[in-house]
Every structure is written in C-alpha cells, then in structure tokens.
Amino acid sequence: MLEFIDVSVCFHSGTADEKMALDHVSLRIEDGDFICVLGTNGAGKSTLLNVISGAIPVTSGKILLDGEDITHLPEHKRARAIGRLFQDPLKGTAPNMTIEENLGLAYSRGKRAGFHRAIKKKDRRFFIEKLSALHLGLEERLKTKVGLLSGGQRQALTLLMATIVTPKLLLLDEHTAALDPKTAASIMEISEEIIKQHQITTLMITHNISQALLYGNKTIILNEGKIVKVLEKEERKQTSVEDLLAMYDFV
Ligand SMILES: Nc1ncnc2c1ncn2[C@@H]1O[C@H](COP(=O)(O)OP(=O)(O)OP(=O)(O)O)[C@@H](O)[C@H]1O
Ligand SMILES: [Mg+2]
C-alpha cells in the first residue's frame, strides 16, 4: 500500500555540510503492517517519517500510496490519510483550546463540513466514549484547556486525535520517549489497542530494542540512511534482544 522506490533525501547538497539522510531506500509497507524502526541517532528514521508525511521533500525517487504517486503531494493534502505523533507531547494539540475543541478539530478533518463545524451532542457522546477507553479520567474534563494536562495525558489525547478518523497510516516518532516509565508503558498499551482494533498500518520509531521486537509484525534497522536489516516472520521470532544489539554493534 505504501511503497518507497529508490528514495533519497540529501540535505545541503553540494556543500561541505552535505548529508544523505536517506540513501536510495526502497521499501514496501503492506496494509495492516505494524513496523518498528530502529537505528542510531542520525540514522534517518525521522527523515523517513518526514518524507511520508510530506514535511520534507524527497531529493529523488518516488513514494506511492495505494498505487497513487504522492511524491509531490503537499503535506496538508496527506494529513487526512496520515496520523502522526512526535516525541514531544506538546506537539499535536492546541494548548489554549479545550479537550473537546481539540477532538472536534481532529474529528472534522475527515468531514466535508470542515473546520468550523459546531460540536453536537452526538459528537460529545462519541468523544466521551473514546476518552473513557484511555482510562485517564479525561472524559470528565471535556472543558479543560489542553495546556493544563500532563505530558502523558496530552500524548494520549494526541493519539486519540490522530486516530479518531481512522488514518491510512499512523506514524509514531518515539512517542513515549519523553514520558515516565509507567506512563510510557500505558501509552504504548493504548497505542497497540487502537492500532489492533482498527488494523491501522503503522510505523513506529523506537530506541527500545525489546519493544521493537515485541510490537508489530516487522522490525527494520536504518543506518546512515540505508535500510540494513528487515526482520519479519520466523526470522523475527527467532531474534533475541541480544541478537539485535549485536546487529547494532555491527552497523
Ligand atoms: N532539516 C534538516 N536539515 C539538515 N539536516 C537534517 C535535517 N533533518 C535531518 N538532518 C540530518 O539528517 C540526518 C538524519 O536525521 P534524522 O533526524 O532522520 O535522524 P534520526 O534517525 O531520526 O535520529 P534520532 O534518533 O537522533 O532522532 C542527521 O545527520 C541530521 O542531522
Ligand atoms: Mg529522530
């Protein structure tokens, strides 16, 4: 469904700072895939997600979504199909708006009436049902400004917003890295639940090697802009955390 054909991203081309952040990457992501992306700092992981969302243009190569060439489609036109979460819980929500206003915005993204549609009773019931599933008590705080929430609560809300209209693709860039261990575990659990329930095709960047083997159905390792390993099926099952660590040493 999402296909990378020989995609390269070169920053500061032709200067002393030239950097091949992605180096001729070809990759096929099937519907329902949940791919964990590993790699050392600067390997090109965020760049990979950035070219999918359209935040960064490719230097060469092609990206196809469901067979359609989206290589040059602007970011805002991809936003309806792609949900995204960052490491920073402050990104992705509007702090001066309430929980229900934030959810209303995310919800109207998929609707024709668009941006200024008023929140109806039915919507509110739907939001309460969705928020209850997070088990954070946010369903009782619909009128609370999002800026007053903790990082974990905010990240959970961002996750809900990114998936309230089921996206074709969900991009998670170390989305639990800034949270305390207990909150991180709970956000990861909620993420997996939502992804499984709606069978959302997902790419998740993590530095947690055991997580990269535990979640999803594929693990890829990036190094210096190249995919150096794809683990799936039996090979993935047979791979231990120690094996993966050794691959890290190797790259
Ligand atoms: N907008 C940019 N302009 C210039 N160079 C960039 C830009 N974005 C990324 N780079 C460079 O491209 C390379 C890959 O960066 P990227 O952010 O994709 O790494 P990463 O794998 O996500 O690393 P980390 O684990 O630290 O988040 C790095 O050398 C980085 O400095
Ligand atoms: Mg990154």
Side-chain angles (χ1 to χ4, degrees):
M1 59 101 57
L2 186 82
E3 200 173 356
F4 267 59
I5 306 169
D6 216 18
V7 171
S8 293
V9 173
C10 185
F11 291 113
H12 308 300
S13 183
T15 73
D17 294 330
E18 183 170 300
K19 177 81 207 173
M20 280 294 259
L22 288 181
D23 193 354
H24 300 277
V25 169
S26 292
L27 173 70
R28 247 188 97 84
I29 301 168
E30 307 295 342
D31 282 328
D33 266 353
F34 179 173
I35 301 179
C36 296
V37 184
L38 279 172
T40 49
N41 292 126
K45 304 179 299 296
S46 295
T47 305
L48 182 77
L49 265 52
N50 279 329
V51 293
I52 295 175
S53 70
I56 286 179
V58 305
T59 308
S60 61
K62 264 188 190 180
I63 304 173
L64 309 180
L65 181 62
D66 287 340
E68 184 199 348
D69 188 343
I70 61 160
T71 317
H72 303 292
L73 197 68
E75 187 174 17
H76 69 271
K77 290 209 171 146
R78 303 185 200 189
R80 193 177 279 193
I82 299 175
R84 183 154 195 196
L85 261 77
F86 298 89
Q87 181 172 344
D88 184 352
L90 302 187
K91 283 189 182 176
T93 44
N96 292 321
M97 288 168 62
T98 65
I99 291 182
E100 78 170 14
E101 284 167 347
N102 270 277
L103 283 171
L105 268 187
Y107 193 43
S108 63
R109 199 181 53 203
K111 303 242 182 316
R112 266 168 177 259
F115 205 74
H116 293 295
R117 205 174 68 104
I119 294 166
K120 301 199 180 96
K121 253 192 183 163
K122 198 172 108 224
D123 298 336
R124 199 165 280 131
R125 276 202 301 275
F126 179 61
F127 296 163
I128 289 174
E129 179 196 318
K130 291 282 176 188
L131 286 165
S132 303
L134 302 177
H135 305 296
L136 294 171
L138 296 180
E139 65 278 11
E140 283 158 23
R141 303 176 67 185
L142 282 178
K143 306 278 186 203
T144 299
K145 288 228 163 84
V146 165
L148 299 175
L149 302 179
S150 73
Q153 290 167 338
R154 216 158 147 175
Q155 203 63 322
L157 182 64
T158 311
L159 180 67
L160 198 55
M161 288 171 65
T163 55
I164 200 156
V165 178
T166 305
K168 272 191 186 171
L169 257 177
L170 181 62
L171 306 176
L172 307 173
D173 193 345
E174 299 185 56
H175 73 304
T176 64
L179 309 175
D180 71 70
K182 198 167 162 229
T183 310
S186 122
I187 296 292
M188 199 49 238
E189 207 175 291
I190 295 166
S191 308
E192 196 192 25
E193 209 174 287
I194 293 177
I195 291 164
K196 274 194 174 158
Q197 189 185 356
H198 302 285
Q199 296 178 355
I200 305 171
T201 310
T202 303
L203 267 107
M204 177 174 84
I205 297 176
T206 176
H207 282 292
N208 183 323
I209 292 182
S210 51
Q211 219 176 47
L213 287 174
L214 185 65
Y215 292 103
N217 63 325
K218 286 181 189 166
T219 306
I220 64 177
I221 304 180
L222 270 172
N223 187 51
E224 292 182 2
K226 292 192 173 76
I227 295 177
V228 292
K229 189 83 193 166
V230 179
L231 287 170
E232 58 182 319
K233 300 183 180 142
E234 265 319 295
E235 191 189 4
R236 188 176 191 252
K237 276 189 205 147
Q238 309 285 335
T239 303
S240 66
V241 170
E242 290 72 25
D243 294 337
L244 261 191
L245 267 174
M247 285 178 208
Y248 256 76
D249 288 343
F250 165 74
V251 294

